[in-house]
Amino acid sequence: MASNAQDNHAPLRAQDGKKDEDDEEDFEYSPFHGIEKGAVLQEARIFHAAQTDSRKCQQVLTRLLYLLTQGESFTKNEATEVFFSCTKLFQNHDANLRRLVYLIIKELPPGSDEVIIVTASLMKDMTSNNELYKGGSIRVLCRILDSSLLQQVERYFKQAIVDKAPVVASAALVSGLHMLRENPDIVKRWSSEVQDAVQSRNPMVQFHSVALLYQLKSGDRLAISKLVSSLTRGNVRSPLAQMMIVRCVARVIADSQAYADQERPFYDFLESCLRHKGEMVIFEAAKAIVELNGVTEAELAPAITILQLFLSSSKPVLRFAAVRILNKVAIDHPMAVSNCNIDMETLISDQNRSIATLAITTLLKTGNESSIDRLMKQMSSFMTEIGDEFKIVVVDAVHKLCIKFPTKFRSMMSFLSSVLREEGGFEYKKSIINAILGIVRTVAESKETALTHLCEFIEDCEFTYLSTQILHLLGEEGPKTSHPAKYIRYVYNRIILENATVRAAAVAALANFGMRVPSLAPRVRVLLRRTLRDNDDEVRDRATMYLKLLGDDATGEQQEPTPRPKVLRGQNVSLAGLERCLREYLDTPMTEAFDMAGVPEKELVPVEASKPGAPGASGSGDLSGDLSLKSDFEEALQQIPEFADLGPLFKSCDAVELVEKETEYTVSCVKHIFASHVVLQFDMTNTIEEQVLEDVSVDVDLAEAEAYEEVLTIPATRLPYGVVAQTYVLLAYEQGTMPFGRMVSTLKFVVKEIDPSTGDEEEDGFEDEYPLEDVYCSPGDYLQPTKISNFRNAWDAQDPDTEVVDEYGIGQRDSLQDAVEAVVETLGLAACEGTEAVPPNARSHVCLLHGRTTAGGSALARVNFGMDRNYEVAIKLTVRGESQDVSESLHAIVAEG
């Protein structure tokens, strides 16, 4: 055993016990390294020994708890065996061992038929004279007992609440907070005992009793108001309890906002808490005041005065708390915070970079025009000492300040250009460039200054994406400046020194100068001819094409410049028009080159919306085409007037075919999800040459999807043979929800026959319809998979009340990896922290998933997988979200999938 331990530690330390001098990295040894569930369960057999070793039992229990907290799943037999083994440890009277036994019973809650076995031992501890035993047993009992058994031991909980020992009283009160969710009727009978506990001299007991009292009355606004009134007049000395009272007061004030003409209730109490001895109470009161709805500067004044004093505190945590609150206030009330500017300027050089960042961003929000130059100088040295995430915040604040004081753009542009040349990551550099472009859009006279700074930046830019974006900007805006020739040198340097992608972008930018500034065309042609021998085919092809457009045949002979195609003007080219022109060109002898100048631009054909059930008047014109990217969808939808006010597009789902292949018509559906609307886009193709369809629309029956309401339908005016056209159906739903349901769909149209001999169509048609597959909206359509770096923090930040847990069997799978991939795809969430990868031959696994909802909130799921010897897979799905509806919707996806 000893030799094996030495081998396991070989990577961590040298065999002679000395640190390897050649190893520059420090390895940290974990006592839980290499722990396996089977080995720990084997070790748990020592619990059955006649003479138990307390130290060894504590080590085994610690390993079991570690496995449980890491998400290791125990089968029912394993959990039962561990539970029965732990019950035998009640015979040992070691205090530390007993506390671990309490923990393991809470983590492995027994079944209803097993509770009675451990209840007797816990009741014995609850009535013992040992305070630690009493407190621990109370916490365990509240977790494992149901309502019927709780009624039998209720009197012991009441006695514990008024117990003289603070640890016992606090345990009973906290247990009451937990039981309030499942057994509120029982806990509400403890009101008198909880009232007595408020008078306790122990600060923690006071805090827990106030918290429980608030929860007991939280459903009754009048009762909350009476509770706050009594507590504010009472003798509550605990700082934690005072904080809880402040929060209760904040809620009462928020609920009374309907009576705006009246004086805010209990505001005097909040103001008095600003003079409390406890610093945490002062901060809580200040935070409550600044977060009041419609707060005035007169109400803010006392809170800001107190916070200003903390800015010069010797404790970093107090300075941080004060400047963070002031930073929030500065967003809506910058003038109220301006009196603190002198104190905050001293914090720019604070050793704590978080404090310094908040101070500088607050100053940027509250500063006046005369102080901008001084702030820019101070920030220049400050920026080198903070991380990129803080730098991005500062850059954003500078951008907003420039919008506020546009006349000072030169100093702020100079600051941004200086930090742009410093070291930094991609996101940081991108934020600076976005800020510069934002200033250019706001302050027109800053354009040439900005272009000059960007030209200097691309000389040493290491990011290909940023270089290509800047070169495109130079090609578009450079020719419009007063001296466009000065930018040509910077662009041509990229052709000489950069990679192929940047060189190709530089060729396009250089050609723009030649085509938009005729006086520069000869010089541009000379430079482009030098790129014809580039080793990258994209660069050579672009150079050849642009030389042709500039009237040069690549041999140096001058020709008439070719008219510039519309594609190169950045115009939207009609895809349907391009297809038609190409078809016409193929019907010609093709003796001349295809002329792009004849391709029509994309123009929006007006559409008249029809109410549900009414026939439409026109179609969507040139908006047809196979659009696969969200940006393409969003651009196309925004050009339709009826969809322009729907807000940003949240998600476009994959196209779903609604008919079988090789049928008369092909129809597919794409669902576009908005915050409170769903746009159903039906792409249709007519495969019958002898007919043309008119007034084509899809009728959806919402009988099985009652959460939706049909707003309008936009039919396609005409659907000839072989052409793709769209019809749209707009549905509304309640914002913040994730409705789902099945919609019966029918294609409706007017058929006009075409004479095969003449190609003429009949004047009169007849109405017809064609059944389609049902359209199904799933809760997963309202989720956008997004990865996060710290799942645990995001999980803890969610309200535990939204948690929903259930278990499902998903049948046989070839491997656990297949099961994980199937569940991740079904839920439509993104796997975080690498949990999508399952170790080889694993029989259990935990996958962490995250996504965003249409309301901007988070949906998090922890999925525990287990596979038996028959390859049957079961999962335990635990979900937290912005609301319980979100959590239940995710469970609905798995239940129906």
Side-chain angles (χ1 to χ4, degrees), residues 34-89:
I35 286 181
E36 294 183 357
K37 183 178 72 171
V40 177
L41 291 175
Q42 200 68 14
E43 293 174 354
R45 294 183 178 181
I46 66 171
F47 300 161
H48 296 280
Q51 297 293 330
T52 54
D53 186 329
S54 299
R55 183 181 180 84
K56 288 185 177 179
C57 290
Q58 289 175 39
Q59 292 174 350
V60 175
L61 286 173
T62 303
R63 294 189 187 103
L64 283 169
L65 287 168
Y66 171 77
L67 290 173
L68 288 169
T69 55
Q70 293 302 305
E72 188 72 47
S73 59
F74 285 66
T75 65
K76 186 171 183 179
N77 290 337
E78 291 170 345
T80 302
E81 185 179 348
V82 171
F83 170 73
F84 279 112
S85 301
C86 292
T87 57
K88 297 190 176 183
L89 297 178

Side-chain angles (χ1 to χ4, degrees), residues 692-696 748-752 764-768:
V692 62
L693 307 184
E694 293 185 353
D695 195 16
V696 188
K748 294 188 174 183
F749 47 85
V750 174
V751 180
K752 290 187 176 181
D764 298 326
F766 60 92
E767 294 183 358
D768 198 359

Side-chain angles (χ1 to χ4, degrees), residues 267-315:
Y267 176 81
D268 293 339
F269 171 76
L270 287 181
E271 194 171 343
S272 67
C273 288
L274 294 173
R275 299 183 291 274
H276 196 275
K277 294 180 181 179
E279 293 158 346
M280 66 177 74
V281 179
I282 296 174
F283 278 113
E284 193 67 32
K287 183 181 176 184
I289 290 174
V290 301
E291 290 179 352
L292 293 175
N293 289 333
V295 64
T296 63
E297 293 197 6
E299 291 173 326
L300 285 173
I304 292 177
T305 302
I306 294 296
L307 292 172
Q308 186 176 3
L309 297 176
F310 282 115
L311 291 176
S312 55
S313 171
S314 59
K315 298 179 181 179

Side-chain angles (χ1 to χ4, degrees), residues 809-822:
I810 59 174
Q812 286 189 339
R813 299 285 172 172
D814 293 336
S815 67
L816 208 57
Q817 182 68 55
D818 292 341
V820 171
E821 292 174 358

Side-chain angles (χ1 to χ4, degrees), residues 439-553:
I439 294 173
V440 170
R441 286 191 293 268
T442 307
V443 187
E445 57 266 31
S446 66
K447 182 168 71 175
E448 293 199 23
T449 305
L451 292 179
T452 302
H453 291 317
L454 293 176
C455 285
E456 295 172 357
F457 168 66
I458 59 174
E459 292 288 324
D460 300 311
C461 180
E462 57 183 313
F463 302 107
T464 298
Y465 173 82
L466 296 181
S467 294
T468 55
Q469 295 298 307
I470 293 173
L471 286 169
H472 174 74
L473 178 70
L474 287 172
E476 291 295 322
E477 301 296 332
K480 302 175 185 177
T481 59
S482 56
H483 301 287
K486 68 179 181 180
Y487 301 109
I488 292 181
R489 175 175 63 88
Y490 296 102
V491 176
Y492 184 67
N493 283 347
R494 301 306 97 215
I495 298 177
I496 301 173
L497 303 173
E498 289 288 358
N499 58 48
T501 304
V502 179
R503 295 202 302 272
V507 167
L510 193 61
N512 259 347
F513 281 89
M515 287 184 284
R516 296 188 176 187
V517 185
S519 61
L520 296 178
R523 283 191 273 176
V524 170
R525 284 196 291 266
V526 172
L527 296 176
L528 288 177
R529 280 197 292 271
R530 297 178 184 177
T531 63
L532 294 174
R533 294 182 179 85
D534 194 279
N535 57 7
D536 185 79
D537 57 345
E538 173 73 15
V539 179
R540 296 194 302 270
D541 291 347
R542 288 195 182 198
T544 303
M545 179 184 70
Y546 287 120
L547 281 171
K548 178 70 173 175
L549 295 173
L550 288 169
D552 192 314
D553 65 352

Side-chain angles (χ1 to χ4, degrees), residues 179 189 290 367 402 442 461 611 620 692 698 763 782 814 825:
M179 289 189 290
R189 296 200 291 261
V290 301
C402 189
T442 307
C461 180
K611 298 298 179 183
S620 54
V692 62
V698 175
E763 294 184 2
Y782 305 89
D814 293 336
E825 182 179 358

Side-chain angles (χ1 to χ4, degrees), residues 173-185:
L173 291 165
V174 172
S175 298
L177 285 167
H178 289 299
M179 289 189 290
L180 194 61
R181 302 173 188 171
E182 302 294 334
N183 303 283
D185 295 334

